[in-house]
Amino acid sequence: MIDGFRYTFFGMLALLIGCSGGTSVQMDEDSPPFEQLSKYQFFTGDPKNLIPNDGVLPYELITPLFSDYAEKARFVWMPTGSQASIADIDESFEFPIGSVLIKNFYYFNDARTPEKGKQLIETRLLVNRKTGWDALTYVWDDQQADAYLEIAGEVRKINWIDHRGEPKNTTFVIPNKNQCKGCHEYKKQLQPIGPKVRHLNKIYIYQDGPMNQLEKWQQQGYLEPLDNEVAELPNVAPWNDRKALLRDRALAYLEINCGICHGEYGPANISGLFLTTLTKDSNHMGVCKSPVSAGSGSGGRKYDIVPGNPDASILIYRMESLNPGEMMPELGRTMIHEEGVGLIREWIASMEGDCPESL
Amino acid sequence: MRYFIFLLSIVIGFSGINCTPKNNHTNSPILVDVANFEKHLQELLITADSGAVIELPEGQFDITRSLSLDGIEGITIKGQGKDKTVLSFKNQIQGAEGLLIKANHVTLEGFSIEDSKGDGLKLLDSRGVVLRDLNITWTNGADSTNGGYGIYPVACQKVLIEHCEASYASDAGIYVGQSTDVVIRDNLAHHNVAGIEIENSRNVDCYNNLAENNTGGILIFNLPDLPQAFGYNVRVHENTCRNNNFENFSPRGGMVNTLPPGAGMLVVAHKDLEIFDNKISGHKTLGLGIISYLFTRRPFDVKNGFEPFYYNVNVHDNVFERPDDIADQTTEFGQMISALFGGQPQDILIDGIFHPDTNTGQPVCFQNNGEDLRFNNLNAAQAEGVQGMLETMDQNLAAFECSLPGLTVEAL
């Protein structure tokens, strides 16, 4: 009786304030964040299966950020009737207020056989509020039943078997709220990184079949209709596709792993090193560029990139370092990305030219 | 139940939104919980209201990840004194600095940062910074794996650094980079590679500091290829630079690695600089060196107004005392000076590579810096290597005896 009253009472109140409950996504950008991820109802059924609810669209980046070999499942949601637009083809989409980007980090227990299950670590939300983008991190509980809001970050020990059958472990560091901005800063504002034309312009295999992501977003009403065919629009190279040009693969990798800070408008622009696919000047790209404030991060090497000589290049030293004071990126990595370093080594080795002798 | 929580969160939300901002001046300090220090402090640095005073209790606290403040204005972090409140990063597993600040109107005072894996205290893109009574150090002594910078404001405006101490940084104890309107006073920098370094910064007043037992005492550099392309209007006065003969323990590669032990002050490619009333003593290699960027033979681009030359450098009324010692042999720079001068310490050295446009005025003026100075102009523009400089160099100090108008710095 009392329970019934309470449900009715609060149910009506909820209706009055415009919340229908039900099974649709619950996102009100004016409200403070839920403590529990499941309350948003981005996923249907058991939350850990990450089955997207209506309006929650999965997406992938052509070349993703390396995060200690974690797998990532990305989704986008926008309020009904709203859509993103493109103000500058080179920059992130302009998202409508209330949009949410959802990024789940997990490891397969055994990467060779995904059916053996996975461990979800954290789910990061970027919510576009009237006051700007807000970064929220939800940490999954041990039972994998739900994830809980955590602003100060956390450290997790993870064990898994990689795709070669080797047992791996890492100390996965879940970022605090300030650290989110450490990477997601562009023109001094917190901004999404991935949703740019050149990172999304690829085929994705949706439930109802394969389709170019930019076309799918338009079909879904999530992106303003584009004047150009997707084939005419830019796309970065897939970093691990040996059919693509080595330089394009290397720059695509550097852009997504380094270029957000090391770009003209990123927080590491004070270094003068710009690692993006749009960088034209070879000195700014690091070729024969002396470090400015690398400290011990230089590894005793004189230039960021020495053509033909990866072992003399600071870039490689910092990618291969695990010392927090030297390594790059500064955040989001506690392991060496061997395949990524291999690519950048191959690219530097292929470059021609010399750097001058200096004091 | 779902609705209940939903409603509750809305109520909390509105109360949060509607609450009027607290008065900055009546904020009582929030004391960080000793038992849960790291997490509580980081939470406060994320959730504090603008103007909050965060008080650190006395004690030594173990920190495992970089601490950061981002975007909240007017925060004060106040310890019980730099000898009483210590943040130890010895067991740090993540982050390229101990404490990272990106926020305006921030005051940090009365605590120490020890053994951070990277830089000790970094302030990026912040306006209105007060740093007072801080100590940044590495407790294992001189080690090339120590963090690069102790106190490191970069791309900041309106910065006051006073009564701080910095030691054992593998680059510079106090480093001000690409910043504008800066006062550095009454600080102690010792056992760093560079004691105090001012780089690509504008309107800087650096006075009454003590730099001793570093590799080099005070460096004033303009380096190429940076967003703030060059610095100018810098005054360095009433400082004591003494016995900066410490080994250069910086990792190879950086500019500072070329610094020879026994360097009092070094100027690279700077303009509108006044160095006066300093006491520079006990340096086994050179008291004051002034060189162009060309002298380093490092490549660079001329753009956004960067010039590799020094000009309008006014050096007057300083006291130089050289020791009876042998110049450094451990660095290329030191070996060059040794070869040029038979291992004898020099007071003042200039490379003699001047701006080709003589409209830029006097490259450098020296006046009233004492008698019996060992002065050398390498005239390196016409010289090829050490052999060449042995032929081109001269000791004609009189050629640069001139006066320039004093600079005015109104930084704060």
Side-chain angles (χ1 to χ4, degrees), chain A residues 59-64 89-90 92-93 193-202 213-214 234-237 251-253 255-256 260 277:
Chain A
Y59 69 96
E60 278 178 359
L61 304 187
I62 296 171
T63 289
I89 194 89
D90 292 329
S92 291
F93 298 164
I193 296 169
K196 299 184 177 82
V197 166
R198 66 183 182 278
H199 292 302
L200 291 180
N201 190 2
K202 65 167 277 193
Q213 295 189 114
L214 297 173
N235 54 1
V236 301
L251 288 180
Y253 182 87
E255 170 165 287
I256 205 75
I260 309 309
T277 58

Side-chain angles (χ1 to χ4, degrees), chain A residues 6-7 9-11 13-14 17 19-23 26 28 30-34 36 39 41 150-155 171 173-179 181-182 185 188 267-274 281 283-284 288-303 314 322-328 330-332 334 355-359, chain B residues 1-14 17 39 42-47 64-72 92-97 100 102 117-119 122 124-125 144-149 152 154-155 170-171 175 178 197 199 223-227 251-255 258 291 293 295-301 303-304 332-333 336:
Chain A
R6 196 165 66 193
Y7 275 118
F9 177 74
F10 285 113
L13 259 182
I17 60 170
C19 156
S20 63
T23 57
Q26 302 295 306
D28 176 2
D30 279 336
S31 303
F34 290 125
Q36 278 169 274
K39 299 294 179 194
Q41 301 189 142
E150 172 58 64
I151 60 163
E154 213 173 286
V155 175
T171 306
V173 184
I174 297 165
N176 72 45
K177 200 177 169 90
N178 287 344
Q179 290 173 325
K181 197 176 163 195
E185 186 178 319
K188 303 187 180 181
N269 66 356
I270 51 167
S271 67
L273 178 67
F274 303 147
D281 178 308
N283 190 267
H284 275 310
C288 300
K289 181 184 178 305
S290 294
V292 177
S293 49
S296 63
S298 72
R301 303 175 185 186
K302 283 187 175 166
Y303 300 110
I314 296 171
L322 290 178
N323 175 338
E326 300 179 344
M327 63 194 289
M328 287 286 162
E330 293 176 353
L331 299 174
T334 66
C355 297
E357 281 297 307
S358 66
L359 265 184
Chain B
M1 200 52 199
R2 178 196 299 150
Y3 300 135
F4 178 69
I5 292 174
F6 183 67
L7 260 182
L8 195 67
S9 53
I10 283 182
V11 170
I12 293 167
F14 279 135
I17 288 160
K39 190 155 189 174
Q42 183 56 68
E43 278 173 1
L44 288 172
L45 294 176
I46 292 168
T47 59
T64 61
R65 303 170 57 188
S66 282
L67 297 165
S68 62
L69 171 70
D70 191 333
I72 310 172
Q92 185 177 8
I93 59 161
Q94 185 215 32
E97 58 282 302
L100 173 65
K102 288 194 272 180
K117 290 289 189 275
D119 304 316
K122 180 173 178 180
L124 177 61
D125 203 10
S144 67
T145 64
N146 288 355
Y149 303 119
Y152 176 23
V154 58
S170 70
D171 196 313
Y175 170 101
Q178 302 180 62
E197 182 172 344
E199 188 178 293
L223 299 184
D225 301 316
L226 295 174
R252 285 193 63 230
M255 265 299 282
T258 62
I291 61 172
Y293 196 78
F295 194 72
T296 69
R297 302 199 302 274
R298 290 180 181 234
F300 63 94
D301 283 347
K303 62 184 161 206
N304 303 328
E332 227 178 295
F333 201 145
M336 184 192 77

Side-chain angles (χ1 to χ4, degrees), chain A residues 316-354:
Chain A
I316 296 295
Y317 180 81
R318 303 194 83 166
M319 291 174 74
E320 290 180 343
S321 173
L322 290 178
N323 175 338
E326 300 179 344
M327 63 194 289
M328 287 286 162
E330 293 176 353
L331 299 174
R333 171 171 93 75
T334 66
M335 305 176 77
I336 296 165
H337 188 202
E338 286 166 25
E339 299 81 357
V341 177
L343 169 64
I344 304 306
R345 279 185 163 278
E346 197 181 333
W347 173 57
I348 293 176
S350 77
M351 295 167 103
E352 289 179 8
D354 270 316

Side-chain angles (χ1 to χ4, degrees), chain B residues 239-376:
Chain B
N239 300 286
T240 300
C241 286
R242 67 182 178 214
N243 305 333
N244 292 291
N245 298 312
F246 201 57
E247 63 173 307
N248 188 329
F249 62 99
S250 67
R252 285 193 63 230
M255 265 299 282
V256 84
N257 189 243
T258 62
L259 190 65
M265 287 191 191
L266 187 62
V267 176
V268 176
H270 221 283
K271 63 178 177 182
D272 302 335
L273 168 64
E274 188 176 9
I275 298 175
F276 62 103
D277 291 341
N278 300 286
K279 187 166 186 201
I280 302 170
S281 63
H283 299 103
K284 66 180 184 183
T285 305
L286 79 167
L288 168 64
I290 303 175
I291 61 172
S292 65
Y293 196 78
L294 298 172
F295 194 72
T296 69
R297 302 199 302 274
R298 290 180 181 234
F300 63 94
D301 283 347
V302 176
K303 62 184 161 206
N304 303 328
F306 174 81
E307 296 171 304
F309 307 102
Y310 52 91
Y311 54 94
N312 233 357
V313 176
N314 187 5
V315 181
H316 63 91
D317 297 294
N318 300 286
V319 174
F320 287 88
E321 285 174 13
R322 58 179 180 265
D324 188 11
D325 207 336
I326 297 169
D328 170 60
Q329 309 287 331
T330 64
T331 64
E332 227 178 295
F333 201 145
Q335 287 159 7
M336 184 192 77
I337 290 171
S338 289
L340 289 172
F341 310 111
Q344 290 192 317
Q346 302 298 303
D347 293 308
I348 299 175
L349 193 67
I350 65 173
D351 68 0
I353 302 174
F354 302 139
H355 206 301
D357 177 2
T358 49
N359 289 328
T360 55
Q362 193 67 25
V364 56
C365 282
F366 296 102
Q367 212 170 37
N368 197 26
N369 295 299
E371 302 297 311
D372 179 36
L373 287 177
R374 280 191 194 144
F375 168 84
N376 272 280

